[in-house]
Structures are given as structure tokens and as C-alpha cells.
Amino acid sequence: MPDQSLGAWIDRNGHDLGLVRVKDLVRPTQYEATAILAQLETADGAPPVLFTQVGGRSGSASQASMLFNAYGRLASIERALGIEAGTWPRLLEHIPTRSAQVREPIIVNEVPVQDMVFDGMSVSMSNLPWTRHVEFEGGDYFTPIIAARSPDSGRYNLSWNRVMFLDDRHAGVHISPRQLWSFHRQAEEAEQDLPVALVLGHHPAFNLAAAALTGLAIDEYRVAGALLGEGLAVAPSISYGGALLIPAHAELILEGRLLAGRRVVEGPFGEYMRYLGPQKLSHVFELDAITSRPHPVILEIFAGHHDHLNAHISIHASLLAAARAAVPQVTSLGWFRGGGPTTVVVALRKSAEGQPMRAALAVLAAGNLVKQVITVNDDIDVFDAQQVMWAISTRVRTAEDLTVLKGLQGSLLDPSHPGFGTTSGFVIDATWPLDKPAPPMARVPAAAIEQFALNRYTLEED
């Protein structure tokens, strides 16, 4: 079957995406990689950056290379999904359709990620190129995809997690209270560890599948196949055999277990909201084996920057699908890209009062990230903060159109109210009432602009 590896994706797309190769030896644990990335970033994001020589945590040179900014720009995400959209709104329209075209994983005999196997009690994570992303992080980190199998149903979950180095065989893992969390709780109740695979590099579409807000009954290996456009190649793991199938075309995998009844202090970490995510008690991973290609490419996130927020586009698309399922009149959905996905703007072609609130509640119910929803008419560009604020300023009567919501489940990473407690939010209805005429827009007639086109005139600049 076709090569689904990250290395093959780089070979196919790197040139067209303006891939930057850094060939000097770089020490990621000393902020060296992210210092370079920060200088390459623009208001529009940044190109993919491949560090071809990186130092391991132990100080020796690693056999791996590292790719950052796989999601730094729209064009990179388009290439990850094989979609030519041209704009963020059009890309968001495509993703739910693609995600729904699930494909069964394919068990293969050729397993490139198991070309090299390191196991036994002497196996160590110290030689790997862990990263310090931003100032005041609590330790050295990876941002892998964790693949886990439900102890009861057998379905697979993929989640994107931050993982902090503790020692040669242990790491602290931040887990949000969703599916992986529930898998681990089920195992703990049976006084068992949960086998997992930490995938440190794969085709970028595989990682986007891990970010999607899928239904609790959906096997996310099938969603990965949907975004890849072909069934995900899988194979029995070295440590657990058929009890945990791993993605066969991955670059490097850490096989291990989330330990029952163990927690550790982990964090802080640079999060997508551009703040340090708080230090907290997190789960403990114990390593059993490392499997790898001879020269793997590790996919790492540039934490707290465009690469990090853009990687949540699967969540963004899931929110659009949830709003549209509740209210088909929804035309678009965006979030304020500067601050992360806590504030969402929903545009709709309103045909009945009450539709804005129903759409807003559908977005809030889809996950625990969103706490503020603004609804607008479809003449507003939800990606333009100036237009959104104009709608709020001219169409909202606060006493009637602002609804404060208390007792919402909060995000563990929300800097305004971190932790497991509840938070509060609001819905602002900035749509025009249907029973009142909206004032006409102050616009130059389109016919006049066409008639008096600028190219008819001689213009001079002082």
C-alpha cells in the first residue's frame, strides 16, 4: 500500500511548501529549535521547518530529525489533507465531509516502524530529542499522538497530548477528561495498567484525526483512514501483540503503559491559548519498548504559536458540523485565532427566532473548550474581528441579547479558571430581529464601482 509516513509526505510536499531545512546541530532542550522558529514566524504563520541534526536529551546526537510547523500555514494543512481550498472557511467545509468517510484499518505485514526495536529493562528515552518550547516550562517535552484501545469495546482512540520527561523509563502525561481518560479509568477500576503507543511521527493527517471531536462510539483509527484517504496501515505491537495495534508507517513509537493508581506533578507547558498551561497532577507513562525507522522524523508542535492553534482545525471543523446539525441555517463558524478556541462566532441565515441560541448551545455541548459564543447574520465575516465587533456594537441590546451561562464544564487549560471546577460563559445574539427591518448598509452602489473602474483613471502618488 502507499507509504503513509511523515518522511514520504515531506519528500512529496516540502518544496512546494517552502520547507526550511536547518542542517546545523541543534539542541532542542536548550530552546534552540524554538528560538529559530520564533524568528521565522510571521503574522501569516510560518513554513515547515526540518531540523536534520538534533541533540538528544543525554547530550549525544540523535538518529532522528524533527519537523515543526507542519500546521503553520493554511497551505500546509491543505497538503496534509490533500484538499485545495484556498481559504480557511472553505477548508472547514471540507473536513467534516472527509472525516465522515471512515475507512477500516488494514493489518499489514511490512512494519517500517519496527525496523529497529529496543526493549528490556535497559531501554531508555534519554537519547531522544526532547524539547523545551517556551520559557518556564516544567521540563522537557514531546507532543505525541497517543493510541489506546478501549478495555471493554476494543475501539481505538487517538489523542494529542503533552508528555514530560521524568526519567529513562517514565514520563508525565497530561490527559483531558475525554476518551483516553475514560479508558484509563476503566483499566484502573480493574487494577490494571492501560497499554498505549506514543506515536512520535506520522503523516500529518493522522495527527489531525487525533484532534477531531468524534463521537464516543467511533473508532478513531477509522477516522485516521478517512483523513488519509485510505485505510490506516496497522500491525501488532511488539510489547502487547494484537491487544494493541500500532500504526505501521509511523516514524517512532514509544510502547508502554499508563500506570494504574499513579500520578505525578507535570507542567507548566506552553499551550495553544498562548499562556503557560498550569502545573497539575498528571498520569504516569512507563516505557516498555521503543520501535523506530533507522532515521525517523519526529513531528513536534511549536507550542503556543500558529503551528499549535492551527493543529486544532479538526476541532474547529467539528464545531461547525455540530452547529449545522442543530441549525441547518448556519453558514459559517470561526474562532478568534489570536486567543484560541474559547470564543466562537457563528453566522447563520436566520429564518426563525431561537435559531441563534440553539446553534450556540450545540457548539457549547460539543466539547469543553468553548465558553463564549457570538451569533451573527451571514453578512458578517466570522474570521474578521472588526466586522464581528461592528455587529455587536450596532445590533446588540444587552438586556435582551446577552445570556450569561453558569456551571459550564471548563477546560483544564483555560487560564481564567484552570483545573477541574466549573466556569461561566455567555451567548451574545448579534443577529437582527426578524420582525424589525434592518437599516440599509452605507455602500457605494456595485454598479457604480463597475462603471467607474479604477483603471479608467490616471492616478499619481506624491
Side-chain angles (χ1 to χ4, degrees):
M1 63 183 302
D3 191 343
Q4 298 173 348
S5 70
L6 178 58
W9 181 83
I10 292 171
D11 290 343
R12 291 192 298 267
N13 299 287
H15 179 269
D16 291 342
L17 294 175
L19 175 79
V20 175
R21 295 178 187 268
V22 179
K23 297 184 178 181
D24 306 274
L25 179 62
V26 170
R27 306 286 182 183
T29 57
Q30 299 176 17
Y31 304 108
E32 190 173 4
T34 54
I36 293 170
L37 295 172
Q39 295 171 77
L40 291 172
E41 192 163 58
T42 68
D44 186 41
V49 180
L50 181 66
F51 295 94
T52 59
Q53 294 190 72
V54 288
R57 190 179 186 279
S58 63
S60 60
S62 172
Q63 293 298 309
S65 55
M66 298 185 78
L67 179 73
F68 288 81
N69 285 342
Y71 311 97
R73 285 180 176 157
L74 171 65
S76 297
I77 300 176
E78 288 179 317
R79 288 302 181 97
L81 296 171
I83 296 171
E84 294 184 9
T87 67
W88 291 105
R90 283 200 287 269
L91 182 60
L92 289 168
E93 293 285 347
H94 283 289
I95 292 176
T97 302
R98 277 283 298 275
S99 298
Q101 298 170 0
V102 295
R103 298 170 184 254
E104 292 296 328
I106 301 171
I107 298 178
V108 297
N109 295 319
E110 292 188 14
V111 189
V113 75
Q114 294 175 352
D115 284 352
M116 302 178 69
V117 176
F118 308 90
D119 56 9
M121 293 303 296
S122 62
V123 66
S124 171
M125 298 184 288
S126 291
N127 291 329
L128 298 175
W130 299 76
T131 297
R132 292 273 178 134
H133 301 84
V134 297
E135 191 175 18
F136 304 126
E137 281 187 339
D140 301 331
Y141 274 90
F142 279 128
T143 55
I145 303 303
I146 297 184
R149 186 172 181 262
S150 169
D152 54 8
S153 70
R155 65 183 173 81
Y156 282 83
N157 173 253
L158 299 174
S159 62
W160 214 325
N161 298 80
R162 69 191 206 201
V163 175
M164 188 182 82
F165 180 90
L166 297 176
D167 59 40
D168 287 350
R169 295 192 61 217
H170 297 92
V173 182
H174 167 85
I175 301 176
S176 296
R178 281 183 56 81
Q179 296 183 62
L180 178 59
W181 180 292
S182 68
F183 288 7
H184 185 248
R185 286 298 175 90
Q186 291 172 39
E188 275 190 322
E189 289 173 0
E191 299 183 347
Q192 296 179 348
D193 300 335
L194 179 71
V196 294
L198 275 58
V199 182
L200 291 178
H202 206 299
H203 191 290
F206 175 83
N207 290 40
L208 291 177
L213 295 176
T214 58
L216 297 180
I218 296 176
D219 189 311
E220 292 187 343
Y221 272 180
R222 300 174 71 211
V223 178
L227 295 186
L228 285 164
E230 60 195 13
L232 176 70
V234 297
S237 56
I238 293 295
S239 303
Y240 319 110
L244 181 67
L245 300 176
I246 52 90
H249 288 187
E251 301 284 331
L252 188 151
I253 289 177
L254 307 179
E255 295 183 1
R257 290 157 288 114
L258 293 176
L259 300 181
R262 290 279 301 277
R263 301 294 187 270
V264 68
V265 174
E266 173 270 327
F269 178 76
E271 282 294 347
Y272 56 86
M273 296 181 187
R274 297 188 297 160
Y275 288 95
L276 285 173
Q279 188 177 72
K280 58 185 285 290
L281 281 178
S282 291
H283 297 66
V284 178
F285 169 81
E286 183 170 280
L287 178 71
D288 289 322
I290 299 176
T291 71
S292 173
R293 295 169 180 262
H295 298 283
V297 183
I298 294 173
L299 194 159
E300 184 63 17
I301 286 293
F302 185 15
H305 290 72
H306 284 84
D307 188 29
H308 201 175
L309 180 59
N310 290 347
H312 290 72
I313 193 169
S314 296
I315 297 177
H316 193 161
S318 298
L319 297 177
L320 172 61
R324 193 168 280 164
V327 180
Q329 289 80 3
V330 167
T331 58
S332 59
L333 180 147
W335 57 39
F336 284 116
R337 305 189 65 78
T342 59
T343 302
V344 165
V345 185
V346 180
L348 66 161
R349 192 171 292 116
K350 187 169 71 171
S351 60
E353 298 297 351
Q355 289 172 344
M357 179 60 75
R358 187 172 294 279
L361 293 177
V363 171
L364 288 163
N368 65 336
L369 291 175
V370 178
K371 60 181 182 181
Q372 288 132 194
V373 181
I374 302 165
T375 61
V376 296
N377 296 99
D378 64 343
D379 64 323
I380 298 297
D381 181 353
V382 298
F383 290 88
D384 187 330
Q386 293 284 355
Q387 289 194 35
V388 174
M389 289 307 299
W390 174 67
I392 293 173
S393 299
T394 60
R395 305 180 187 184
V396 170
R397 300 157 300 168
T398 305
E400 292 84 7
D401 298 325
L402 171 64
T403 303
V404 175
L405 303 172
K406 297 181 179 180
L408 295 175
Q409 180 189 12
S411 168
L412 297 178
L413 303 177
D414 181 355
S416 73
H417 191 85
F420 292 92
T422 59
T423 188
S424 56
F426 61 73
V427 176
I428 294 178
D429 183 356
T431 62
W432 289 112
L434 290 174
D435 61 350
K436 294 182 180 179
M441 294 283 295
R443 290 183 177 137
V444 176
I449 293 175
E450 183 178 356
Q451 180 180 356
F452 305 115
L454 201 59
N455 58 15
R456 294 180 52 187
Y457 302 90
T458 301
L459 306 177
E460 293 182 1
E461 294 185 5
D462 290 339

